[in-house]
Amino acid sequence: MTAEVMQKLRSDARDNRVRILAVARAAFAAEGLDVPIREIARRAQVGVATVYRHFPTKEALFTEAFAEQMAMCSAVVEEGLAADDPWRGFCLVIEKLMELHALDRGFSRAFTSQLPPAVDYFTADRDRALRLLLQLVRRAKEAGDLRADFVLEDIILAIMANDGIRAESREMRVAASRRFAALMIQSFRANPVPTPLPPAVRLPLSVR
């Protein structure tokens, strides 16, 4: 086998992997883990054996499909924890998490879903991020900036609400998410101080 043919095979394999992951993200977001591997293979225009060659189980495919987003999510929380001011760190996390989830609804739904134990790597990473986030919540409360009745589930609730944003473009969705994050931050603060919101975005039901 020539070097050119081997390179072509490697290129085809990479293309297949990328296509499988793209299809899997969309499928898992819309249908959850119930979507069959054969359906993912059909949509990706590859054979079932090709999917299993790259991902030995459906759970492995799910984990890999959202691995990059999960790593970004964890990095955001770690950045917030590293901030000298707990409230500023908390605000940074809310702002960046809302934007991250607005850019990828599939990841947003995966993150907020009840997943089976078999998706152990994804759920372990998610649980670690949530534990770190809980530390930040406690620090912000101790500093007196975060309202005392705030619970971690309020962030999950905000992420789920953020997932409902519908806009005409990616840019508008992000802009709307930033405004929503600012509104949430003000509602989370122990002693709200009115501050200017990011610019409003014209959404499908806006009054002209």
Side-chain angles (χ1 to χ4, degrees):
M1 186 177 293
T2 66
E4 182 179 349
V5 171
M6 290 180 66
Q7 179 61 34
K8 177 66 164 58
L9 290 174
R10 286 195 292 268
S11 177
D12 288 346
R14 285 194 300 268
D15 290 346
N16 286 341
R17 182 182 178 86
V18 169
R19 194 160 60 250
I20 291 166
L21 285 171
V23 167
R25 287 188 196 101
F28 287 139
E31 303 162 54
L33 270 172
D34 290 337
V35 60
I37 284 290
R38 64 178 177 277
E39 180 59 20
I40 292 174
R42 185 188 68 79
R43 297 178 194 177
Q45 299 181 328
V46 299
V48 172
T50 299
V51 176
Y52 281 118
R53 191 155 50 244
H54 289 281
F55 309 99
T57 65
K58 187 193 295 185
E59 290 76 19
L61 174 56
F62 181 95
T63 298
E64 184 65 23
F66 297 112
E68 182 178 349
Q69 293 90 334
M70 192 66 251
M72 291 171 63
C73 183
S74 296
V76 165
V77 178
E78 289 170 356
E79 183 181 357
L81 265 176
D84 293 332
D85 178 2
W87 176 249
R88 185 56 240 159
F90 177 82
C91 293
L92 179 148
V93 168
I94 297 299
E95 291 164 356
K96 291 195 173 184
L97 282 185
M98 293 298 106
E99 182 171 340
L100 173 62
H101 285 272
L103 287 171
D104 193 327
R105 289 201 187 101
F107 174 61
S108 182
R109 291 167 192 172
F111 189 87
T112 57
S113 295
Q114 185 70 38
L115 298 170
V119 193
D120 50 359
Y121 289 111
F122 181 88
T123 52
D125 287 345
R126 182 180 64 180
D127 290 349
R128 176 179 175 276
L130 290 175
R131 283 194 294 270
L132 293 176
L133 188 51
L134 186 57
Q135 290 182 37
L136 183 56
V137 166
R138 288 171 180 157
R139 291 183 189 178
K141 282 186 178 183
E142 290 169 358
D145 293 307
L146 183 61
R147 54 190 299 162
D149 59 354
F150 180 90
V151 293
L152 186 62
E153 286 78 7
D154 291 327
I155 295 179
I156 304 302
L157 186 62
I159 290 173
M160 293 172 73
N162 189 63
D163 181 51
I165 293 175
R166 299 292 180 267
E168 295 176 359
S169 68
R170 177 187 177 95
E171 291 73 23
M172 290 178 67
R173 190 163 67 248
V174 169
S177 179
R178 286 173 180 159
R179 186 175 175 89
F180 177 67
L183 287 166
M184 289 295 95
I185 287 170
Q186 289 195 26
S187 73
F188 293 156
R189 194 161 195 172
N191 299 297
V193 178
T195 55
L197 295 172
V201 179
R202 287 196 175 277
L203 299 174
L205 296 182
S206 297
V207 176
R208 306 292 177 176

